[in-house]
């Protein structure tokens, strides 16, 4: 026995026991965190490269058709990822394309469908005022890849929502997203 009433053997065992106990607590705690993490939902995300590709394809389609537009891409939550304003596009087109994309992402359906639904059902007019970012006009399409809506595209500036929508569909086609607009007859 050493001075102070401690034996050399207990002084060596106590730190080992403490370290082993601490390691067990950490391992068991980590296993709990891993188990909790496995329960979290998994969501596919729209990569920036695909968002840029879709926006560029939509912009190019409208340019070929003679329309000066803006194209917006949002993620699944409606947060802006890409905004392209074509040469000569009106300043209002950035806002309209962003709102159309937001609306399509939020409602998970084409904005033209919503516009038709609101026009046919007066009781649904309130949908226009549900959020200040909502714009119920044709030209917004959800982006669905692998069975999940990962974002949306909105086009604004062509002389009609159906024309904006055709450009948006070209964007979807360029990245292999699920088509939302039926192709024109004869194609």
């Amino acid at each position: 026995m050493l001075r102070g009433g401690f034996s050399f053997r207990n002084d060596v065992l106590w730190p080992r026991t403490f370290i082993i106990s601490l390691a067990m607590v950490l391992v068991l705690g980590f296993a709990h965190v891993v188990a909790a993490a496995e329960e979290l939902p998994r969501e596919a995300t729209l990569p920036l490269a695909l968002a840029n590709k879709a926006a560029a394809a939509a912009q190019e389609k409208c340019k070929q058709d003679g329309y000066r537009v803006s194209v917006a891409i949002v993620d699944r939550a409606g947060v802006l990822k890409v905004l392209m304003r074509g040469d000569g596009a009106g300043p209002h087109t950035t806002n309209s394309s962003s709102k159309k994309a937001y609306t399509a992402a939020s409602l998970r359906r084409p904005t033209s469908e919503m516009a038709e639904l609101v026009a046919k059902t007066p009781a649904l007019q309130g949908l226009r005022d549900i959020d200040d970012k909502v714009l119920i006009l044709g030209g917004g399409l959800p982006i669905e890849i692998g069975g999940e809506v990962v974002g949306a595209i909105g086009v604004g500036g062509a002389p009609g929502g159906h024309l904006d929508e055709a450009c948006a569909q070209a964007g979807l086609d360029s990245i292999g997203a699920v088509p939302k607009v039926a192709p024109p007859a004869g194609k």
Side-chain angles (χ1 to χ4, degrees), residues 15-145:
R16 283 186 188 159
T17 305
F18 175 75
I19 290 171
I20 291 170
S21 297
L22 180 61
M24 291 298 290
V25 166
L26 290 174
V27 166
L28 292 175
F30 182 71
H32 178 70
V33 169
V34 169
E38 289 174 359
E39 293 177 21
L40 292 174
R42 303 282 182 221
E43 295 180 339
T45 58
L46 179 64
L48 182 59
L50 285 182
N52 279 322
K53 184 177 180 180
Q59 184 69 251
E60 184 58 30
K61 165 75 169 127
C62 270
K63 182 180 175 184
Q64 288 173 358
D65 292 344
Y67 310 131
R68 298 175 184 167
V69 301
S70 289
V71 179
I73 307 282
V74 298
D75 65 13
R76 75 174 55 245
V79 177
L80 188 64
K81 235 177 146 73
V82 174
L83 178 61
M84 290 183 177
R85 180 173 166 252
D87 296 335
H92 66 284
T93 63
T94 58
N95 196 30
S96 67
S97 63
S98 296
K99 285 184 170 190
K100 289 176 185 182
Y102 174 86
T103 303
S106 179
L107 300 175
R108 305 280 196 260
R109 26 185 358 176
T111 55
S112 61
E113 278 184 20
M114 294 308 300
E116 287 176 27
L117 188 61
V118 167
K120 291 178 183 176
T121 314
L124 296 178
Q125 288 290 324
L127 285 175
R128 294 183 184 279
D129 302 319
I130 198 167
D131 186 322
D132 64 343
K133 293 180 185 177
V134 169
L135 183 59
I136 301 181
L137 292 174
L141 299 174
I143 300 172
E144 184 181 330
I145 299 174

